[in-house]
Amino acid sequence: MLKRLFTVLLAVFLAVPAFAETWPEKPVQVVVPWNPGGSSDISARIVGDKIRKFLPKPFVISNITGALGLNGARQVLKARPDGYTLLWEHPGNLAVASMVTRANFSWRDFDALCTVVSSDMAMLVPKNSPFKDARAVFDYIKKNPGKLRWSLSLNGVSHFAYLAMCKSLGQLDAKLIPTSGDKDRVVSLLSGTSDVTCVSYAAARPYVESGDLRLLALVNSKRSDLAPDVPTLKEQGIDAAYDYRCSVFTGKNTPDNVKAILIDALKKTLEDPETIEALKAQMFHPDFQDTAATIRNWEQDEALYRTLATEYKLLK
Amino acid sequence: MFLDLTGSSFVFEPLTLVVMLAGVFGGLVIGAIPGLTSTMAVALLVPVTYGMEAHLGLALLVAVYMGSISGGLVAASLLNIPGTPSSVATTFDAYPMTKRGEGGKALAYGVIASFLGSMLGFVALLLLAPVLGKFALRFGPYEYFALVVFTLTCIVSISRKSLLKGAISALLGLFLAMVGLSEIDGIPRFVFGTDWLQSGFSVMPVLIGMFAVSQLLEDLSGLGKPLAVMKADFSLKEFWQVGLRFRYSLWNLLRSSLIGIGIGILPGTGSGLSNILAYAQAKNSAKNPDSFGTGNPDGIIASESSNNAATGGALIPLLTLGIPGDATTLMMIGAFMIHGVQPGPLLMRDHGDLVAVIIIAYLVSNFFMLFLQINFIKVMIKALKVPQSVLCPVIITLCVVGSYALNSSMTDVWVFFGMGIVGYGLVKTGFPLLPLVLGLILGRMAESQFRAAYSLGGDSLAGFLDRPIALFFFAVAALSLGLSLYSAAKRRA
Amino acid sequence: MHIAEKSDFCSSLILLALMGFCWNESGNIDQGINFALGPLFFPYLLMGLITLCSLILLVRSVGRGRAPASGGAAIADRKTFFYRAALLCLSAAYILALPLGGYAPCTFVYLVAAMTLLGKRAVKSLLIYGVIALCMTCGVQYVFADLLHLFLP
């Protein structure tokens, strides 16, 4: 009974535009479909913390994990599209997962708000590896097919990065070792189980600093200001790039004024010097892009995955 | 190589001590409640530490970690419901003791064993961390798979009633882990066209469902009577006596703690696994293995010391390499990151004071844990006097919350309920629950590691032949299974 | 054919049926790229082993003609059975109601109802139950919703 009463009140509130000026009236639930402390989670917490200056009610992070991030996505899908439930995701997961698992929904079933942060992906080898740059790795693979052990997460971002490299260099025949999770891939390099891998730069940096891993290149489209003296793959002559961008979504048909308030608040937060500093300390780039640009990015990324997946027979 | 501990004076500031005491207490309560685990407790508290200073936040998390792992023994001993997966093996011998009226003694054994196990974990952490940290990297897919096989055969071979049913249980557990998206390729398996099966079966709802519900249903046959009658009220003198008796079990204690530390160090496995392995080892090397499971204190000692030692072990790779030793330390990484600290090989160099705080906080939490538990044993025994009509529904509601809280999912609550009924059915038909739960816990890891090992070996199993550690585990597994089959056949003849 | 261990017989049949269902379902598993043994290897291996063990169990349950039925469960007396069934139904209703009614009200009602069902049915007891239920519900609500910002149904 209480819930029904609340629903009626809510309907009344939503129906009267004047009241929407004071949106949000209660804390906003931000669903991060990954474990606390993971890279998506950290960026969400930092932004969620700093956005307090621009919104009357706080952001509350919920980690709803499982099913390659689809569990969290489903939660937002089922929730009321009133702007109180947001999804914090990036195309490498959401766009790909729906394709691979044949889910009955995709990222288009949400309303995109904006892009918030981007981070870098690094290509690494162990410290005692004979390879000094990316070119050397690929030359070795070409000369010795099936010998170099490349650890990646099947159907994951690291896999698609590898496929993008294949596409640019012609068929690459490395021994693929399935290892999911940035930390696990780092461990596999450290323990000598594999020879080369791609992980997010944030996860790799402590080990690069300590000298346990060697950073060969960044898999970005342009140099990162967090590691300005690291070349990108493109510079080394390999036309493969992946830009790791995180975006915010709400349920479909959320009222426009609610969306506008959210986008505005997020934009202001990302321009705030404190936020920028906090994000940079965790190896994130504040990267605000509006709704149209976000949708374009996702479409491009999805098309790229689809091409790679079909070409390399990950999808039929 | 001694770590530099000068930064640790922070731990002894009044605010820190109070916060840590509260943390240990909260951890104990959480551990005692079936349905809430240490991983969840730490995961839920990580955001709370956001507003705190890094040292305080991490000291709190260590305290909660320590408390929750130790707390599991309360429900395990008194109710036969493991509060956390790390106390599953404790139920085997602690509950029979409770039934005999020696619940206080069982708790005392558990508490002292926990304390001593943590002390050994602390010693390892303090003195041997850098050396042992390297050990974390020695295990590759071959070794992990072999370890899984070894653990499962251990469990099956100690199942008391029927080896065959134990094996079926384990296989069912492994199979249950296959439901959902496959770990490696993300392809949906056995989802029967539904949405809710896509994420598979989480361990916690299944664990508490099976153990708690089946136990509660079982208890209903004694409705109107108290759960167990205490022989005598528990006193400090009895506590001392229990403590003195430990001198007969020193080797057991040491071995179990070492197993705990070793398992804790290995990334991805922790106290949930170590308590079972330690128990199995204790039983196998005991002079009277058949007394295990009827109330032999050595079973409690093995289980509780190893699960606490594993907490120390799990912190080692975290602090030396930035690699989490188990699921709870994985959550702690989040706390590090939130405070802008990147765990990695340079953590001790760059944030030595933070590392020192964590290590000393571990020690202090251990003492707090001992202190709190000693004082509360009396209170906890009183819980047995609470009529079942109250205890039963209360436990169910707590389990419901616990299942839901994990992933904000009603599905998990239904899994809890459904698995509870299934678990009850299994128990009544003579199938042991432990292998099933263990199979579920290890299933995904078993498959991923196996397939990774297969790829490494060039799409063949030949790779296993070069790995002595893996072969060793396989050999021991085969041996123990063979011995059990042999003795079972002899018994039947 | 004298079935000595009824429960074992039934269990093995259930297991075999389960494996049958899963075999059927495994047809829906899309192989995609057959990487590192593919997603079907392990499940099939396990299913094969389970089927084998179930068959052994089946045979054993039939074969032991002379042994008395020891592994089977004694059917509990009617009163306990009633309590068990009632508790289960009540709990199921509780879980069903949770998303609809919200955590606090449902839990309170459930606790009082369950305690009344299982315990003494006196007015005084009812009051005690009410108090306990209230404390429990509020306590949990406070800790989880307010302290930890967890969203309860």
Side-chain angles (χ1 to χ4, degrees), chain B residues 425-441:
Chain B
L426 285 173
V427 168
K428 278 298 183 190
T429 48
F431 285 87
L433 289 178
L434 182 59
L436 199 150
V437 171
L438 200 63
L440 180 63
I441 295 178

Side-chain angles (χ1 to χ4, degrees), chain A residues 29 35-38 41-42 45-46 49-50 52 62-68 70-71 74-75 100-104 149 153-155 175-180 183-184 186-187 190-194 201-203 205-207 209-212 281-283, chain B residues 43 46-47 50 136-141 181-188 195-196 198-199 267 321-324 330-331 333-346 349-350 404 406-409 411 448 451-452 455-459 467:
Chain A
Q29 184 186 17
N35 273 325
D41 180 72
I42 299 284
R45 286 187 198 276
I46 294 178
D49 181 55
K50 304 289 180 209
R52 251 185 251 246
S62 288
N63 298 89
I64 302 182
T65 62
L68 294 181
L70 291 179
N71 245 359
R74 253 190 219 110
Q75 196 85 347
V100 169
T101 67
R102 301 214 193 310
N104 52 3
R149 298 165 304 176
S153 170
L154 276 192
N155 290 331
K175 192 190 276 194
L176 301 181
I177 314 293
T179 323
S180 18
K183 273 280 185 242
D184 291 326
V186 168
V187 170
L190 291 174
S191 65
T193 309
S194 64
Y201 181 59
R205 193 160 159 275
Y207 303 94
E209 259 184 41
S210 71
D212 287 302
Q282 303 275 24
M283 308 288 119
Chain B
V46 164
Y50 193 49
L137 297 176
R138 297 276 269 128
F139 265 51
L181 296 182
S182 68
E183 176 98 7
I184 290 198
D185 11 39
I187 294 177
D195 269 347
W196 57 274
Q198 287 239 348
S199 39
L321 291 171
I323 299 168
L330 178 65
M331 298 301 166
I333 290 189
F336 278 97
M337 306 282 280
I338 283 184
H339 290 101
V341 177
Q342 291 238 339
L346 298 177
R349 187 194 74 181
D350 293 338
Y404 181 80
L406 200 60
N407 236 358
S408 300
S409 124
T411 314
S448 338
R451 290 172 69 180
S455 306
L456 269 179
D459 279 357
R467 314 286 297 203

Side-chain angles (χ1 to χ4, degrees), chain B residues 166-186:
Chain B
I168 293 184
S169 224
L171 291 169
L172 275 176
L174 285 171
F175 188 66
L176 219 58
M178 304 278 116
V179 174
L181 296 182
S182 68
E183 176 98 7
I184 290 198
D185 11 39

